[in-house]
Structure formats: structure tokens, C-alpha cells
Amino acid sequence: MTDWERRLTLDPSAVVPLYYQLRERLRAAIRDCEPDTPIPAEKDLMAYAGVSRATARRAIGDLVQEGLLVARQGSGTYTAPLAVAPELGAGPVGFTETMARLGRRPTTQVLKAHLQPAGAEVAVALGVRETEQIVFVERLRLLEGAPCMLESAHLPAELVPGILDEDLTGSLYDLLRVKYGLAPASGRETIGAVNADYRLAQLLHVPMAAALLATARNTCTESGVALEYTIRHARGDFAVFSVELNDAKNALMGQ
């Protein structure tokens, strides 16, 4: 068990600021903690480190932004959960399949599921007309009951008749394979960073403006038919990506 009081004792005579000392001592301490371990309450951190509330909040805030700590409203601050690490460059794999392979317990809440016109962005991604009907499915993905990702999938309606009557809480890729004979064989995924707006913050249980990973994925069947365009917003403490560098075309080249 972590001896927080001993590990968070600061040196007031040091040149570096107290918030920096506290942040780095916290960083070192949480490396030895299991995922989802609660850290001391703010008032306890103030007592252990001999700092003001503002200093304690600044140190904690930095580590939350880095994804090492997670602030849960009404509950406290915890070490980050075990992150999910899908491999870039691998074939298209869904959230449910990835979690099952890692031995995690995923669940899904369907927030929206309906037909709508494709619109400009989706039309380009799926190669359809802007006025063409597509299936829009918005789902909140959870791990061990904690929300980790908001996923918005767009599918050409003509490829998936009746899909809105199906159970959409499981693997979408499995449903496409089993019911419609459609399997994602290849695709392209782009990754960026965004800050959580009010709705994302509420759904993912993160502070406003918290850093999120945003991905946009296009997949197609083996015959080249566009199958999906999916946008995901994932909590930074739940998602990391790994890249295999053995392949020459993926390797980093230096001079």
C-alpha cells in the first residue's frame, strides 16, 4: 500500500516550484499503483505536501491532462484505468473484438439509431450522394462500466436493410458479417487530438476541454465497396495506439 504522506513530502528550500515537486512525486507514486487506485483527497494532499489548495489542484490538473489521473465527479481522483492499445497497420477490428482479445468486459449503450441524409462529409467518405439515406448509429462504449468512447457510425442504408431492428449493443462488424455477408477487409484511419466539449465531457465523465483522441475510420469490403465511416472520441486515459515498426514501409527512417 502506498505511503502517500512519506512519498509526497516536499522540500520547501528546493529551487523548483512546489507544484512541480508535488506533480513529479505524484507521478512517481502512481507508477507503483494499480489502475483505478484512488489517490488522497485534495485536503489530504495539502496536508501531506504542505501546499495550498491551488498548488494541489495545479499538480493534479497537469496529471489529469496527461492522462495519468482521472477525475470522477462526486467520487474523487484515480490512477488511470488500463489503457487499450490497438495496433495501427492491422486489419479493421471493432471495439468489441479488441476488448474480448484483451480479456476486458465491454458494454454498449445505443444513444441514437436512425436514417438520415448523408450530408457533405459522409457523402465523400462513403462515395454516395449528399441526399442519399444512410444509417446513423451513435453508441457509448464502456469498459467495466466506465464510459471510454463515443462512437458515431455511418453505413450506406441500401447495404443494410432492416439493421435498425437489430440488436446494436454488440459487435457491429459481427452483425455485418453474419446478417449481411459484409466484412471490412481494408480501410484507413486518421487520428488526432481534440478537447472535450460539454456533451462529450458529460458522456465520457471527463472535465470540459479534457484531451481526447479523435479517430475517423473508413472501411470497405474485399471487393472495394464502401462499408462504413465511423468517428470515435476516446478518453485519453483509456486509449493508446501501438505501431509495428518491423515492416520497412512503416519504419521510421533516420539520417
Side-chain angles (χ1 to χ4, degrees):
M1 189 171 181
T2 302
D3 183 353
W4 292 101
E5 185 170 8
R6 178 183 62 82
R7 299 196 67 167
L8 299 180
T9 300
L10 308 185
D11 179 4
S13 65
V15 176
V16 295
L18 290 177
Y19 94 87
Y20 182 90
Q21 289 187 56
L22 178 57
R23 185 188 69 192
E24 296 311 304
R25 288 179 183 270
L26 272 171
R27 188 196 305 278
I30 63 181
R31 287 197 190 102
D32 298 331
C33 295
E34 294 293 322
D36 285 314
T37 297
I39 71 166
E42 196 175 85
K43 62 180 178 60
D44 294 324
L45 289 178
M46 293 165 59
Y48 296 159
V51 298
S52 67
R53 186 179 301 275
T55 297
R57 285 184 175 176
R58 183 174 180 184
I60 293 170
D62 282 0
L63 296 176
V64 168
Q65 287 296 319
E66 290 181 32
L68 297 178
L69 293 176
V70 181
R72 295 175 183 163
Q73 190 171 4
S75 177
T77 304
Y78 296 77
T79 58
L82 184 66
V84 176
E87 292 186 4
L88 298 181
V93 180
F95 175 83
T96 305
E97 293 92 337
T98 300
M99 296 306 101
R101 189 175 69 240
L102 295 173
R104 307 295 296 277
R105 184 172 60 86
T107 53
T108 298
Q109 295 177 10
V110 179
L111 303 181
K112 298 178 183 179
H114 55 248
L115 293 172
Q116 66 182 40
E121 179 182 355
V122 177
V124 172
L126 295 179
V128 299
R129 298 185 305 277
E130 291 186 25
T131 56
E132 189 168 328
Q133 292 285 290
I134 57 99
V135 174
F136 175 73
V137 180
E138 183 181 66
R139 303 187 295 175
L140 185 64
R141 316 307 295 265
L142 305 96
L143 284 178
E144 284 78 45
C148 66
M149 180 187 299
L150 182 66
E151 181 181 83
S152 301
H154 309 76
L155 309 167
E158 65 177 8
L159 294 182
V160 289
I163 195 171
L164 294 177
D165 297 323
E166 301 292 329
D167 179 7
L168 300 175
T169 62
S171 167
L172 188 58
Y173 283 179
D174 277 353
L175 178 60
L176 291 173
R177 291 187 187 99
V178 173
K179 182 173 178 63
Y180 300 99
L182 298 169
S186 61
R188 182 178 183 86
E189 189 155 20
T190 58
I191 303 168
V194 298
N195 295 113
D197 60 16
Y198 178 79
R199 183 167 185 262
L200 286 169
Q202 291 291 305
L203 289 172
L204 295 177
H205 296 184
V206 296
M208 279 280 290
L212 304 176
L213 282 175
T215 68
R217 173 185 289 192
N218 295 79
T219 64
C220 58
T221 65
E222 191 171 1
S223 61
V225 176
L227 184 56
E228 65 155 335
Y229 173 57
T230 297
I231 299 170
R232 296 179 174 90
H233 291 92
R235 280 172 42 171
D237 54 310
F238 271 94
V240 295
F241 290 86
S242 64
V243 183
E244 176 59 58
L245 298 179
N246 291 330
D247 190 329
K249 65 186 178 182
N250 287 332
L252 296 176
M253 304 299 291
Q255 295 183 353

